[in-house]
Amino acid sequence: MKQIMRERQLEKLGNIPFVTGKQKGHRIEQNLFTSDDWTGSQVIAVTISKPPEIDTWGIVKRGWEEGKIMVVPRCQPKTRGMDFYALSDFGELEQVYYGLYEPRTKGAVPVALDKIDLMIVPGLAFTTGGYRLGFGGGYYDRILTGYKGMTISLAADEQLVEEVPIESFDLPVQKIVTESGIIHCGG
């Protein structure tokens, strides 16, 4: 069920014309950057995106421009855990499995979960209640159980769905930022 839904969502996102996708991404960024969650946060965690996800490279740059500490996760495939590292230069990234970009650990500055003010949680599909269909690794499900800060996700309107398969360990994000505005999920 989840895998079929993932494939459908990837296809739906892949069918958004390039220019339309760029415009949606720009509007989502503007809604994020003017939100109290962004302006009130000093340490922000975000994954480095790859198509067809909402582009986060510009979000990292904007954080740097505003003097924020931008932290990026490094997945630990054996344990399905994640460690977060401060990123001050895109050159500190390396391409790992599935074409993902993650911080190199050599010389990287680790950031404890309780130091992160805002976590931008990735996903393929979202309900207005904040539940999400992730990419299938379960990494964020594990991290969110111990995270007490603000959680938001970025989504094109096409990523909002009536329901996603929910399991006992799934935790909703608190807000979803779309091109149309911010959805308060109550999570």
Side-chain angles (χ1 to χ4, degrees):
M1 173 77 175
K2 282 187 175 183
Q3 191 55 39
I4 292 167
M5 191 171 189
R6 281 188 192 98
E7 289 167 13
R8 285 191 187 136
Q9 278 300 113
L10 285 167
E11 185 179 345
K12 187 192 295 186
L13 294 175
N15 287 333
I16 297 173
F18 179 79
V19 173
T20 303
K22 284 293 183 194
Q23 188 59 40
K24 286 175 177 288
H26 173 70
R27 287 194 181 124
I28 290 166
E29 283 181 354
Q30 295 316 301
N31 287 337
L32 173 65
F33 297 149
T34 57
S35 72
D36 291 341
D37 299 310
W38 175 270
T39 58
S41 295
Q42 185 56 34
V43 180
I44 299 173
V46 64
T47 56
I48 301 297
S49 63
K50 66 175 196 171
E53 295 174 82
I54 301 299
D55 189 332
T56 60
W57 295 77
I59 291 168
V60 172
K61 287 190 286 188
R62 176 71 173 256
W64 289 339
E65 289 165 4
E66 293 184 10
K68 296 182 185 298
I69 298 167
M70 301 304 290
V71 301
V72 176
R74 173 112 190 165
C75 295
Q76 306 299 336
K78 286 185 178 144
T79 62
R80 299 267 176 149
M82 289 192 299
D83 297 317
F84 289 85
Y85 295 92
L87 186 73
S88 57
D89 185 300
F90 286 129
E92 296 167 0
L93 296 170
E94 65 180 344
Q95 204 165 15
V96 294
Y97 57 93
Y98 303 120
L100 297 172
Y101 284 95
E102 294 186 344
R104 287 186 182 90
T105 52
K106 188 175 183 201
V109 178
V111 176
L113 212 52
D114 64 357
K115 301 293 186 212
I116 298 170
D117 301 316
L118 172 63
M119 188 173 297
I120 299 174
V121 181
L124 281 170
F126 304 90
T127 67
T128 56
Y131 286 98
R132 64 186 190 90
L133 177 70
F135 289 87
Y139 290 93
Y140 275 90
D141 295 321
R142 286 173 181 81
I143 280 293
L144 292 177
T145 59
Y147 178 66
K148 303 295 181 229
M150 174 58 70
T151 56
I152 63 169
S153 289
L154 311 176
D157 287 340
E158 288 84 351
Q159 290 176 269
L160 297 176
V161 296
E162 287 293 315
E163 61 182 355
V164 296
I166 297 173
E167 300 192 43
S168 59
F169 52 79
D170 289 335
L171 293 171
V173 293
Q174 293 160 305
K175 295 180 185 175
I176 302 170
V177 180
T178 73
E179 68 261 35
S180 302
I182 297 177
I183 299 166
H184 297 261
C185 305

